[in-house]
Amino acid sequence: MLKQALTHNGLIAILRGLRPDEAHAIGQVLYQAGFRVIEVPLNSPDPYTSIRTLRDSLPADCLIGAGTVLTAEQVQQVKAAGGQVIVMPHSDAQVLRAAKAAGLYLSPGVATPTEAFAALAEGADVLKLFPAEQMGPAVVKAWLAVLPAGTVLLPVGGITPDNMQVFVDAGVKGFGLGSGLFKPGMTVDQVASRAQAYVAAWNALN
């Protein structure tokens, strides 16, 4: 279902710093803009409450996940809160196995082909290419030439509506969007405007 959601729209919203009282309204405008995967990093205020609010308030075709998941214990807490996707900045095998055992979708962070192959061997559904600022389209193209056919690489870090095309041309099927989409203190209208700009840019490329 994760790959299916990304087929609908390859953009993942990363809401670092989201507060629980904002979660419902922000989730609604993202869904209306076309987002079908929303991630709340665990270093946000009371992230499990926000995850629960998003899961309870959005349609079933929108997957809710947690980012910056660092331990197997956190995997269980995410699942208990209704989260469906585990996103990691790294590729720790213990966390990968815990997420797989819990029946959750898995997007570990990778920065080398060695990490990418190891994560796929542990059952990763998609790979988070992080930080994308350090690894441009040439890296993506080289990786995709050797990774198994159908591997989904999602660059995260520094992605704007203006720089997506070079990555898409290299074979990218989606992106994770952080501070370019949402920052703490932004209004719902500001988030809606940025979400619409990203989706318009994505749709123009696909």
Side-chain angles (χ1 to χ4, degrees):
M1 189 172 168
L2 176 58
K3 286 185 178 180
Q4 183 181 346
L6 291 170
T7 300
H8 174 89
N9 180 347
L11 305 178
I12 296 176
I14 303 170
L15 305 180
R16 191 177 306 279
L18 181 75
R19 302 191 315 270
D21 62 294
E22 303 173 296
H24 177 83
I26 296 293
Q28 293 298 317
V29 298
L30 290 172
Y31 186 85
Q32 289 162 12
F35 283 80
R36 293 298 180 268
V37 186
I38 300 175
E39 165 196 337
V40 180
L42 294 186
N43 53 3
S44 304
D46 197 2
Y48 301 109
T49 299
S50 292
I51 290 168
R52 172 53 64 189
T53 297
L54 289 165
R55 180 61 284 149
D56 289 347
S57 63
L58 290 170
D61 67 338
C62 186
L63 295 178
I64 308 302
T68 319
V69 179
L70 303 177
T71 69
E73 181 184 12
Q74 289 175 333
V75 169
Q76 298 305 321
Q77 291 173 298
V78 171
K79 184 175 183 179
Q84 300 152 283
V85 186
I86 297 297
V87 185
M88 305 155 57
H90 62 335
S91 193
D92 183 281
Q94 284 188 318
V95 182
L96 290 163
R97 290 167 190 167
K100 214 64 192 171
L104 304 180
Y105 296 106
L106 188 52
S107 176
V110 296
T112 68
T114 298
E115 291 176 347
F117 278 105
L120 290 172
E122 293 289 353
D125 295 286
V126 300
L127 300 177
K128 171 182 172 181
L129 190 69
F130 177 79
E133 295 99 328
Q134 295 181 16
M135 295 177 285
V139 169
V140 170
K141 195 169 184 179
W143 283 28
L144 289 174
V146 295
L147 289 170
T151 298
V152 176
L153 285 181
L154 302 172
V156 178
I159 302 301
T160 70
D162 297 326
N163 68 9
M164 291 196 292
Q165 179 164 1
V166 289
F167 284 100
V168 170
D169 290 346
V172 160
K173 303 298 184 186
F175 298 94
L177 308 175
S179 59
L181 175 66
F182 171 85
K183 290 179 185 174
M186 288 176 63
T187 66
V188 174
D189 287 345
Q190 286 174 318
V191 177
S193 176
R194 293 190 181 202
Q196 291 159 10
Y198 271 111
V199 172
W202 172 258
N203 289 340
L205 296 171
N206 291 274

